[in-house]
Amino acid sequence: MATSSLFNYKLSCKIQGILLLVESVFLLFSLAVGVFYQEEAVHSFIITIAIAVSLGIIGLLVGRNATNEMSKREGSVIVTTTWIIFTLIGLLPFLLSGSIPNFTDAFFETMSGFSTTGASILNDIESLPYSILFWRSLTHWIGGLGIIVITMALLPLLGFNNMQLFSAEATGPTKDKINPKISETAKRLFLIYIILTVSETILLRIAGMNWFDSICHSFATIATGGFSTKQASIAYWNSPLIEYIITFFMIFSGVNFSLYYFLFKLKGKKVFRNEELKWYFFILLIFTVFIAIANFDFSQQFSFKNVEKVIRESLFMVSSIMTTTGFTSYDYMEWPPFTWIMLLLLMLIGASAGSTAGGMKVVRIVLVAKFCYSEFKRMVHPNAVFPVRYNGNILRDDIVKRSAAFVLLYGCIMLFGSLVLSFDGLGFMESVSGMITCIGDVGPALGELGPSGNFSGISAFNKWFLSFTMLIGRLEIFTVLIIFTPAFWKK
């Protein structure tokens, strides 16, 4: 490092400056929407862009002589502070336009957007200006693939050819590099992201949505976010075709994005032999079948229409919850309690590592299950060696141990958070499900926080606590919490 200090603050300022300029570019799109619809909210975007650009220039000036050497310390701090700074700037349009006049609510909604959680405090979404709704959905799209990854794809001039930023933000116990250069990997992931978004937008427009709603819902689907332009979410359209299209893209947004690249490069064996992919679809199928059976009314006349409706409803909600998208087309609180437990399990599991989804990730569940099974075999045969294999390869012990530690820490945080929420007045069902849905970046929970309710009624303290929970869930716990350990700051 260029300095003898514990932290390369100049490098941090330089990167934050660049990232703020990138955020101002995204804000320009929302400004353009406001100009198109001739809305008063354009003034809030002009002010926000001016602030973002000014702070970005200051950051670049402070960090103009910074070196590009980066340790894990810089990587974790930069990524964590980036999400907080992006949220503080991103909430300004809500606040200045009067769409969300309360600072706490604006921060909660914006963090929910960038972290792709989709938990909302809004009670009259349709009354908001188009530009605000567009920005609200765009926060999902920015945060879905990741602020850092998008920036690395757009601005390779950053000059970083290491894994520190990528590793701090990318999800999963292992990182799939589809190109030796991280910037090239980011570009390819970003291109896949854009192709999926454009494809869904076109199909939703054909299915009956207007262009505005199609774009906003594509942003939310591909990012597995869940913000809708309607208070009733997808139920507003009452369209089986729209539900099937969104279900399809939710499912495939929960797949590791690097597998799409390998498929494009005709490396089919690498895709179809992927264990996580197989388990992902297996869990999706099994939970859909169980929930469909639980929801089917066997007293009614058996017909294709009735069966199709139950399967479609079940598949939609299982896909929405497992991929942590959080769209709702049905109030699952009216379903049997058995299905609530099933949905909570899906919130915990999540989808694939390397996707835009939250949760613990299927690969970690698979690795921990294999590790436990190997321990059982070791108890029977103490002198034998039973390595954990994944995709036909023997995994290093540190990867398996880190996955086990993540699952254990995830559970401990979930239990502790549930206690904190209940201490501040939330009921048992709301406390447990609210914590699970926010740390998993899902969106809807159970009870008053379910599909027919939202988070507007919880206390300000709980909103701040859950905002922090969304952040650590999106950055996979270690990136954020390691900053609070004394060892992290030692030379």
Side-chain angles (χ1 to χ4, degrees):
M1 290 181 58
T3 66
S4 59
S5 62
L6 289 175
F7 183 72
N8 190 348
Y9 74 91
K10 284 191 174 183
L11 177 62
S12 178
C13 290
K14 176 183 175 182
I15 295 176
Q16 299 295 353
I18 294 173
L19 291 170
L20 282 169
L21 294 180
V22 171
E23 183 173 20
S24 67
V25 172
F26 283 114
L27 283 161
L28 281 172
F29 290 106
S30 298
L31 174 62
V33 172
V35 171
F36 179 81
Y37 287 104
Q38 299 180 342
E39 296 173 337
E40 292 184 5
V42 296
H43 298 97
S44 64
F45 285 103
I46 292 172
I47 295 171
T48 303
I49 291 169
I51 294 172
V53 170
S54 299
L55 292 176
I57 293 173
I58 291 172
L60 289 175
L61 291 175
V62 173
R64 62 185 181 277
N65 296 321
T67 62
N68 287 339
E69 296 178 19
M70 185 183 300
S71 67
K72 288 185 178 180
R73 180 184 293 117
E74 277 79 21
S76 293
V77 173
I78 289 170
V79 168
T80 301
T81 53
T82 293
W83 286 76
I84 296 173
I85 292 171
F86 258 59
T87 300
L88 290 172
I89 296 296
L91 65 81
L92 292 178
F94 296 112
L95 206 61
L96 297 174
S97 67
S99 300
I100 306 179
N102 181 276
F103 182 81
T104 296
D105 287 345
F107 188 92
F108 181 92
E109 192 81 10
T110 311
M111 178 60 78
S112 180
F114 280 124
S115 64
T116 71
T117 304
S120 181
I121 51 84
L122 295 173
N123 292 304
D124 189 11
I125 293 173
E126 284 93 333
S127 67
L128 297 181
Y130 285 101
S131 55
I132 294 294
L133 289 175
F134 185 84
W135 173 241
R136 183 170 175 262
S137 297
L138 188 57
T139 57
H140 272 341
W141 198 78
I142 298 168
L145 187 58
I147 297 163
I148 302 292
V149 175
I150 289 176
T151 304
M152 291 173 71
L154 293 175
L155 299 174
L157 294 177
L158 274 172
F160 302 121
N161 215 9
N162 58 57
M163 287 286 288
Q164 301 308 333
L165 286 178
F166 187 78
S167 296
E169 187 175 72
T171 62
T174 59
K175 320 298 178 187
D176 288 316
K177 290 173 64 178
I178 55 181
N179 189 279
K181 292 184 177 180
I182 295 301
S183 61
E184 293 300 316
T185 296
K187 286 180 183 178
R188 283 159 174 75
L189 291 174
F190 193 31
L191 179 60
I192 294 167
Y193 200 55
I194 292 173
I195 290 172
L196 288 172
T197 305
V198 172
S199 300
E200 186 186 2
T201 299
I202 294 171
L203 289 175
L204 287 177
R205 180 67 184 91
I206 294 172
M209 283 189 182
N210 59 41
W211 281 114
F212 179 81
D213 289 331
S214 298
I215 293 170
C216 289
H217 284 84
S218 295
F219 286 164
T221 306
I222 304 305
T224 63
F227 277 159
S228 176
T229 56
K230 308 298 179 184
Q231 195 70 41
S233 192
I234 308 304
Y236 173 87
W237 284 273
N238 192 27
S239 167
L241 179 57
I242 287 176
E243 289 175 27
Y244 277 123
I245 291 171
I246 291 178
T247 298
F248 175 85
F249 281 96
M250 284 193 296
I251 291 173
F252 285 95
S253 294
V255 172
N256 189 326
F257 276 36
S258 64
L259 295 182
Y260 291 119
Y261 177 78
F262 294 136
L263 191 63
F264 176 75
K265 298 294 286 186
L266 302 179
K267 296 180 180 179
K269 287 184 179 180
K270 192 163 186 176
V271 175
F272 297 112
R273 289 180 180 177
N274 185 275
E275 286 189 51
E276 184 183 37
L277 185 66
K278 294 176 182 177
W279 279 105
Y280 169 59
F281 282 112
F282 177 75
I283 295 170
L284 196 71
L285 176 63
I286 290 298
F287 275 69
T288 299
V289 170
F290 281 145
I291 290 179
I293 292 173
N295 284 332
F296 190 76
D297 184 1
F298 289 94
S299 64
Q300 67 180 352
Q301 184 178 1
F302 186 85
S303 67
F304 173 80
K305 182 179 179 180
N306 293 335
V307 173
E308 183 275 332
K309 183 176 184 294
V310 172
I311 292 176
R312 170 166 43 87
E313 292 177 355
S314 303
L315 179 62
F316 182 92
M317 285 313 308
V318 167
S319 303
S320 180
I321 297 299
M322 185 174 183
T323 62
T324 71
T325 307
F327 277 139
T328 57
S329 191
Y330 317 95
D331 186 357
Y332 51 71
M333 291 307 299
E334 297 180 0
W335 291 358
F338 166 77
T339 63
W340 305 346
I341 305 299
M342 298 287 281
L343 293 177
L344 283 178
L345 288 174
L346 288 173
M347 290 181 191
L348 287 169
I349 296 170
S352 304
S355 70
T356 57
M360 288 188 285
K361 305 293 187 300
V362 173
V363 63
R364 287 197 181 95
I365 304 299
V366 172
L367 293 184
V368 171
K370 286 189 173 189
F371 174 70
C372 292
Y373 182 60
S374 69
E375 287 300 305
F376 283 129
K377 290 194 293 184
R378 200 171 284 121
M379 291 174 67
V380 178
H381 305 285
N383 298 322
V385 177
F386 298 102
V388 175
R389 293 180 179 272
Y390 179 71
N391 290 337
N393 300 315
I394 297 176
L395 287 182
R396 301 195 316 268
D397 286 343
D398 64 308
I399 294 177
V400 178
K401 289 178 181 177
R402 183 166 180 171
S403 296
F406 181 92
V407 172
L408 177 62
L409 186 59
Y410 198 96
C412 291
I413 293 173
M414 185 193 71
L415 292 174
F416 172 75
S418 299
L419 287 173
V420 171
L421 295 176
S422 62
F423 181 78
D424 199 44
L426 275 184
F428 175 78
M429 182 183 292
E430 287 77 10
S431 296
V432 175
S433 64
M435 188 62 194
I436 291 175
T437 196
C438 285
I439 195 173
D441 299 319
V442 181
L446 300 179
E448 295 178 4
L449 306 180
S452 60
N454 60 26
F455 289 75
S456 61
I458 67 176
S459 68
F461 172 80
N462 278 342
K463 286 173 184 174
W464 283 106
F465 179 75
L466 288 177
S467 295
F468 178 71
T469 300
M470 294 177 206
L471 176 63
I472 65 172
R474 173 60 182 83
L475 296 181
E476 304 237 297
I477 299 177
F478 290 124
T479 298
V480 179
L481 295 189
I482 196 173
I483 295 173
F484 299 97
T485 61
F488 180 78
W489 296 103
K490 292 180 180 179
K491 289 186 179 181

